[in-house]
Amino acid sequence: MSTLKGIVRVFTPDHITNFMYRLINVHMEDSVFDGACGSGGFLTKAMANMMQESGGSSTNEAKEIKKHRLYGIEIDKRVYALAAANMMIHKDGRTNIFHGNTMSEEAQKWIRKINWKNGDKTDNLSDLQKYRITKVLMNPPYEKKYKPIDILNAVFDNVPNHTDAAVLLPDHKLEKGPKLKVQRLLKHNRLTKIIKLPKETFSEGVSVSVFIFRTGETTEKHEIFTCEIQKDGLETIKNQGRQDIKNKWPNIEEFWVKTIEKLDVTADKSCKWITPDLKNNKNLSFPIPEKPFKISEDDFMKKVMDYQMFKQKIGVKEFNENVLKEIIYHSAIIENNDEITISSQKRI
């Protein structure tokens, strides 16, 4: 996490960028967009994976990927420079990163220019550009004052309908966000899946989920598939952050990618369907299961005793005084190691 001009930026761990890439089935013929690209983590991951699929960085397909299939917007000048440098290190792609505010008309016009020949959104498929945006990967700023829901609305309004998007947000952001803006988001875009990530994903303590959307559709009258990944297999190494030193994550990732792709509620006990309440902005996060009710034997006996005293109209104060009197005047108290034994004389 870093702070720039008061903006707290939580950069996405590398294994999560790859996981989200797979969750929406990005491939070499897709065009990937990130409306809050930060240092470019999603874009460089997409570039590397897509070029590997194309056969390597020297192929004609790889050149096309770098030139036409990676797009991002970043508002902070220093982070924008970092993103551009990051793309250069990964062999170009920097020319398609826009420096500006995603919510501005200038930025939204730039997004539309990527997708439509005349620069204006239309339902006419023949007006779409050859290299239009087909997938969205994002981790927008989380704080309310930076308007993450507005950022999502701005992006989804300007990419083509039926675009798959994977977005990283705090678990309850949609339930606690601006009610009308969240309702607008879900009225025009379908929330299909919520994947709660391990609580250790970010060392900063932010508990997050991956929210999967399909643009230009609606969440109304549709259930949402949810699940929870409790462990990712990574371990914290002193001064080096969390690392997969035992190589556990690949198998974990594979299991969850297949489970989520198949919507298999039998694969793990956390998997379930939920019905969103769009009127009240509820049921828009992974449902945390309630802990089963448990009562100890001591608590049970205390409740039984309280009930018997109530039935016999015995006051607690009076009872305590009588018990204490018996212990002091009619009992023997023996202390032996860790045990204390109280014996009372039999009344005749």
Side-chain angles (χ1 to χ4, degrees), residues 142-245:
Y142 296 158
E143 295 91 333
K144 183 178 179 180
K145 62 182 177 179
Y146 300 119
K147 303 179 179 180
I149 305 303
D150 285 353
I151 293 175
L152 292 186
N153 273 317
V155 170
F156 293 175
D157 283 352
N158 291 284
V159 300
N161 291 337
H162 317 300
T163 298
D164 291 322
V167 181
L168 204 59
L169 290 170
D171 294 337
H172 301 284
K173 179 59 74 174
L174 296 182
E175 294 172 331
K176 296 180 179 180
K179 185 174 181 181
L180 294 179
K181 292 178 179 180
V182 171
Q183 289 175 343
R184 180 181 181 278
L185 178 73
L186 299 178
K187 181 179 180 181
H188 300 289
N189 305 282
R190 183 180 172 188
L191 177 58
T192 61
K193 306 178 187 81
I194 301 172
I195 302 98
K196 180 173 172 55
L197 297 180
K199 61 183 179 180
E200 304 89 2
T201 298
F202 290 115
S203 59
E204 298 78 18
V206 183
S207 184
V208 298
S209 296
V210 180
F211 294 79
I212 308 295
F213 295 89
R214 193 160 175 81
T215 66
E217 300 182 10
T218 181
T219 308
E220 293 176 344
K221 300 181 180 179
H222 289 287
E223 290 187 312
I224 302 168
F225 179 84
T226 67
C227 59
E228 179 184 19
I229 304 173
Q230 293 190 346
K231 298 292 182 182
D232 59 12
L234 275 67
E235 298 181 19
T236 300
I237 308 300
K238 188 176 180 180
N239 300 324
Q240 298 181 47
R242 301 183 70 244
Q243 296 185 20
D244 189 17
I245 58 174

Side-chain angles (χ1 to χ4, degrees), residues 82-96:
L82 180 61
N86 203 4
M87 297 298 280
M88 289 178 66
I89 291 171
H90 288 80
K91 309 299 182 182
D92 209 357
R94 69 189 184 281
T95 53
N96 291 327

Side-chain angles (χ1 to χ4, degrees), residues 230 265-272:
Q230 293 190 346
V265 294
T266 67
D268 186 85
K269 64 181 181 179
S270 73
C271 299
K272 54 178 67 72

Side-chain angles (χ1 to χ4, degrees), residues 42-55:
F42 281 119
L43 298 179
T44 55
K45 175 61 67 176
M47 183 195 300
N49 288 356
M50 292 161 74
M51 289 198 305
Q52 182 178 14
E53 183 185 350
S54 75

Side-chain angles (χ1 to χ4, degrees), residues 9 67 72 129 133 150 160 162 169 190 193 213 216 248 255 259 264 270 277 318 324:
R9 305 303 298 268
K67 188 174 182 179
Q129 298 274 27
I133 293 167
D150 285 353
H162 317 300
L169 290 170
R190 183 180 172 188
K193 306 178 187 81
F213 295 89
K248 291 182 178 181
F255 169 81
T259 295
D264 185 0
S270 73
D277 179 356
E318 178 188 357
L324 185 61

Side-chain angles (χ1 to χ4, degrees), residues 325-340:
K325 189 182 298 182
E326 286 292 323
I327 291 175
I328 293 175
Y329 297 108
H330 303 285
S331 304
I333 302 176
I334 302 172
E335 183 175 351
N336 182 19
N337 296 328
D338 295 331
E339 294 183 354
I340 296 176

